[in-house]
Amino acid sequence: MRASGTGRTDSVWRLQFTAGIGALTLLAGCSADYSLDDKGASAGDYDSSGSAGDDTGSGGEEEDDFLRMDPAATDAYVFVANAARDTVTRISVPSLETLTADVGAIPTAVLTTADYLRAVTLNEGSDTVSVIDAETLAVREVAIRENFNRLSLAPSGKWAMAWYDPDRESQGASGGVQSFNEVSFVDLESAAHWPMVVGFNPEDVRWSADGLQALVVSDASLALVDLSADLSIRLVELAEDPLDAPDAEEVEISPDGRWAFVRQAEAADLVVVSLVEGTADRIPLAATLTDLDLSPDGSRIAAVAKDAHQILSFDPADPYGAPSVVELPLEGYYGSVLFAGDSGKAVLYTNSQLYARYAVWDVATGALEERPLVKPVRTIGVSPTGGSLIVFHTLADDPDASPNNPFLGEHALTMLSLSDGRENPLLLPAEPTAYSVSDDGRYGFFFMEGHALLEVLPFDSLLPLTADLPSLPVWLGVLPGTDTAYVSQEYDLGRISFYDAAADSGAGALDTITGFELNSGIEH
């Protein structure tokens, strides 16, 4: 069913900010996202066709990073970085008024602070960060270290960190000396710059809830950065033997900020880091860990040992206490775990091999329920409420699939209700390339490669809708506190569409701004 393309109705815009952390709980950005893991690649990565690279390895599961979020939103604005013109455009919501401000050269990322006060760009062409006042569009430009291509903002809204990621394409690099151990911290209030050296190949930064500490995750170490006064750093080595140090693949932080838990590649130890003492210890386990996840309420950390067919569940407040153990089916291949919101359940699956099945784990009772899927899993997301599930499938098929399966050799996704077991597998004409969800969990949105379409997933009915877009989509997000998606598209002078899923009694309404850098009008 095609959604309406008529103008906006008198729908209510409830604008509040919720931040995800990474690719569906781990998409750092500006609107709520499905809980997708973002914890690193594995020995059994999928290639672009979805075929497994290693059917038997015990490496960690792959967390797909195709769900990237850009532009960025506050409670009242959407900010779009225009890398070709060294500008940022602010679009007001719901009026859709557009204004543009000059920033540094080649802004490749724009993020917004959780307090709504600022937007921040990383300008790769000028090696600067631009701090933009969300209301006045006043810009302060701060010089940082050279050739950085990634940016993260602290939830407190006070700090930004930039660094170089060799796995991410860079634009405007100076061609000078390149360091693999440097980061730049920027105080967004004072515009002060604090460069420092951390461990080799910084991969991510995790911020404490109180905003007083940053954990820079590198291949073989954690850098504990004190943000409370003058920045100071303690480097914690994660391996007993620095000559044979496995890479850190996942880090979870206890809710009280006392402990960090680290899963390393191909390692059978859970590394426990005291964030108070700056020391690391190891809990030896029986088998290699393939995934790690923290429950939304912070009460449990679950670690999966795929080869041992076990889930080990720890109390984050007492990391040295004996874990509870849940035995997984011996004939199963479950290497990933994902807590389902506040539902008291978690989902188990694998994407390190072609296996068309998942399991639901009742955390309180330990009970497991296995369920079939039409195809193997590329990645899985759970809604913020934990009531619904979406499965993006691989193009490759389960070796045991029936020859009569209509999804053989096709792209597909499945919408699932965790509360009552309903499901709706969907045959897709192309590969999904971006996805987001409203923070109330009512609607999901995605688009596919080569198709000028926005696909809408109502999780109450499980009956999808399609909205036509004027041109091919590039980025996707959801306005905080609403059921309205925004989609930036291919167009020389800028194009962005807003789709209100709740308008017109659920049929949806699409508004498009074309040429927003020239303050063009709204198309209905």
Side-chain angles (χ1 to χ4, degrees):
M1 176 178 178
R2 294 228 182 246
S4 167
T6 59
R8 187 175 305 285
T9 65
D10 293 330
S11 59
V12 177
W13 291 68
R14 295 173 293 106
L15 297 169
Q16 65 185 43
F17 183 94
T18 56
I21 311 179
L24 275 175
T25 46
L26 296 177
L27 273 174
C30 324
S31 57
D33 312 297
Y34 251 46
S35 246
L36 282 183
D37 296 332
D38 186 25
K39 305 162 187 168
S42 71
D45 293 348
Y46 283 95
D47 60 26
S48 59
S49 68
S51 59
D54 179 2
D55 272 358
T56 59
S58 58
E61 301 283 298
E62 178 183 2
E63 321 299 353
D64 203 324
D65 64 355
F66 77 114
L67 307 168
R68 296 178 61 191
M69 298 286 290
D70 199 34
T74 71
D75 60 336
Y77 305 115
V78 174
F79 289 86
V80 184
N82 311 306
R85 291 175 176 79
D86 304 336
T87 61
V88 165
T89 297
R90 187 190 73 185
I91 301 171
S92 300
V93 178
S95 70
L96 303 188
E97 176 191 16
T98 62
L99 293 173
T100 295
D102 293 327
V103 294
I106 313 181
T108 55
V110 58
L111 300 175
T112 50
T113 57
D115 57 12
Y116 310 150
L117 297 180
R118 303 176 182 90
V120 183
T121 64
L122 173 63
N123 311 312
E124 292 190 31
S126 55
D127 295 317
T128 60
V129 164
S130 293
V131 184
I132 307 163
D133 186 288
E135 288 294 329
T136 68
L137 289 184
V139 178
R140 293 178 296 169
E141 195 163 355
V142 184
I144 59 173
R145 300 292 290 176
E146 293 182 349
N147 299 336
F148 288 165
N149 60 4
R150 287 195 65 184
L151 180 70
S152 178
L153 302 187
S156 65
K158 179 176 172 59
W159 292 99
M161 192 188 92
W163 71 101
Y164 174 71
D165 183 348
D167 295 325
R168 180 168 293 189
E169 182 179 355
S170 296
Q171 300 185 46
S174 68
V177 174
Q178 177 66 63
S179 170
F180 293 86
N181 290 62
E182 296 179 7
V183 300
S184 282
F185 283 91
V186 176
D187 185 327
L188 301 179
E189 295 176 355
S190 67
H193 172 225
W194 302 78
M196 63 176 57
V197 171
V198 296
F200 178 74
N201 192 26
E203 298 176 354
D204 201 358
V205 58
R206 306 298 297 271
W207 307 90
S208 63
D210 59 10
L212 298 179
Q213 192 171 59
L215 274 67
V216 182
V217 183
S218 299
D219 281 351
S221 65
L222 285 185
L224 280 55
V225 182
D226 185 352
L227 303 172
S228 59
D230 290 348
L231 270 68
S232 62
I233 180 173
R234 290 179 294 173
L235 201 63
V236 181
E237 299 288 346
L238 298 178
E240 291 180 301
D241 181 2
L243 297 178
D244 186 26
D247 290 349
E249 290 197 331
E250 293 184 68
V251 177
E252 298 288 353
I253 302 173
S254 65
D256 59 11
R258 294 182 59 204
W259 307 99
F261 302 88
V262 183
R263 181 180 68 82
Q264 296 175 296
E266 299 292 334
D269 295 340
L270 179 64
V271 182
V272 179
V273 178
S274 169
L275 302 181
V276 177
E277 302 295 333
T279 57
D281 199 0
R282 290 154 198 81
I283 299 176
L285 301 172
T288 298
L289 299 181
T290 54
D291 198 23
L292 196 67
D293 199 26
L294 177 68
S295 64
D297 63 4
S299 64
R300 304 301 296 173
I301 284 184
V304 182
K306 183 170 72 172
D307 288 352
H309 302 281
Q310 290 181 334
I311 308 170
L312 308 173
S313 180
F314 297 83
D315 180 356
D318 182 22
Y320 297 102
S324 60
V325 179
V326 175
E327 301 292 340
L328 300 175
L330 293 178
E331 67 277 10
Y333 300 98
Y334 298 115
S336 289
V337 60
L338 186 59
F339 282 100
D342 57 4
S343 66
K345 299 178 180 179
V347 179
L348 297 161
Y349 65 98
T350 186
N351 61 10
S352 65
Q353 58 198 95
L354 298 172
Y355 188 60
R357 191 177 296 183
Y358 75 103
V360 178
W361 169 36
D362 186 306
V363 179
T365 66
L368 286 171
E369 181 182 359
E370 291 188 282
R371 299 176 184 175
L373 292 165
V374 296
K375 293 187 70 111
V377 177
R378 174 182 176 183
T379 194
I380 283 184
V382 181
S383 67
T385 60
S388 55
L389 187 74
I390 185 166
V391 182
F392 290 92
H393 297 287
T394 60
L395 182 60
D397 298 300
D398 188 325
D400 297 328
S402 165
N404 299 320
N405 185 336
F407 295 90
L408 288 179
E410 303 288 347
H411 292 288
L413 68 79
T414 300
M415 303 170 64
L416 291 158
S417 170
L418 284 178
S419 57
D420 59 21
R422 290 178 301 138
E423 63 178 57
N424 189 4
L426 304 175
L427 191 67
L428 305 179
E431 180 183 10
T433 53
Y435 175 73
S436 190
V437 70
S438 59
D439 56 16
D440 60 9
R442 292 180 61 196
Y443 294 95
F445 306 90
F446 74 97
F447 59 74
M448 295 172 286
E449 184 176 8
H451 288 255
L453 303 171
L454 175 65
E455 305 296 339
V456 185
L457 304 174
F459 288 106
D460 290 339
S461 67
L462 301 185
L463 299 173
L465 303 169
T466 297
D468 293 297
L469 298 171
S471 55
L472 290 175
V474 179
W475 302 110
L476 172 65
V478 178
L479 293 173
T482 77
D483 293 319
T484 298
Y486 56 91
V487 189
S488 63
Q489 296 150 67
E490 292 183 358
Y491 190 77
D492 286 345
L493 295 176
R495 173 175 282 155
I496 190 167
S497 296
F498 295 83
Y499 178 85
D500 185 352
D504 294 344
S505 302
L510 186 75
D511 288 338
T512 298
I513 303 174
T514 293
F516 53 71
E517 285 194 71
L518 301 179
N519 293 324
S520 296
I522 302 171
E523 301 171 7
H524 298 295

